Amino acid sequence: MATWDDVRRAALALPEASEREQRDAAQWRVKDKLFAWERPLRRTDLEALGLDAQEGPVLAVRVADEGVKRSLVAEDPEVFFTTPHFDGYAAILVRLDRIGPSELAELIVEAWLDRAPKRLARDYLAAG
């Protein structure tokens, strides 16, 4: 399954993407807009999910809208989930140890496309 190295490789392969660390967690940005970040579950998240302990690494990624988020959760709830903290916010949580590297890379590209300046995204898509 996917690792943080896979996340880093996919994110940094995108034009003008950068990595930074904030509060001991990695973040990936394009033109200073966050598109993916390490998101350990907090006590309130675990309480909302009914879990006693965090299971594996969690990545958060931007999605186009809440409809996409709901669709991903419905499609594969073993991989994709959300918490009340993300209600009303176009982002999805991903169990990194349950997603394959190629699916992860697609998700990261989609997140990057959502946050990248329009011209940069258009140029990337045109380059194919």
Side-chain angles (χ1 to χ4, degrees):
M1 286 300 156
T3 66
W4 289 116
D5 286 338
D6 294 321
V7 173
R8 184 170 288 109
R9 188 173 19 263
L12 295 178
L14 297 163
E16 300 191 35
S18 62
E19 181 177 345
R20 103 171 42 152
E21 191 153 318
Q22 189 169 2
R23 295 187 198 117
D24 296 324
Q27 299 180 339
W28 293 273
R29 297 172 175 266
V30 57
K31 292 282 190 171
D32 209 37
K33 288 188 176 182
L34 189 64
F35 67 92
W37 62 101
E38 189 177 349
R39 178 52 165 76
L41 297 179
R42 299 174 180 144
R43 182 184 51 78
T44 55
D45 298 326
L46 296 171
E47 288 170 0
L49 294 169
L51 302 174
D52 293 327
Q54 180 173 333
E55 295 181 29
V58 176
L59 173 71
V61 295
R62 288 295 300 242
V63 293
D65 57 45
E66 291 241 13
V68 172
K69 176 168 69 173
R70 285 190 299 274
S71 176
L72 286 169
V73 170
E75 179 182 311
D76 196 348
E78 291 297 313
V79 174
F80 304 106
F81 69 106
T82 189
T83 66
H85 177 79
F86 288 93
D87 287 352
Y89 188 66
I92 190 80
L93 298 172
V94 182
R95 290 178 179 94
L96 196 57
D97 58 356
R98 296 183 187 179
I99 190 170
S102 62
E103 187 180 8
L104 172 70
E106 285 180 38
L107 192 64
I108 289 172
V109 168
E110 290 299 320
W112 180 89
L113 286 168
D114 184 65
R115 302 300 287 164
K118 299 298 179 213
R119 193 181 105 256
L120 185 61
R122 188 176 53 245
D123 291 349
Y124 174 80
L125 290 171

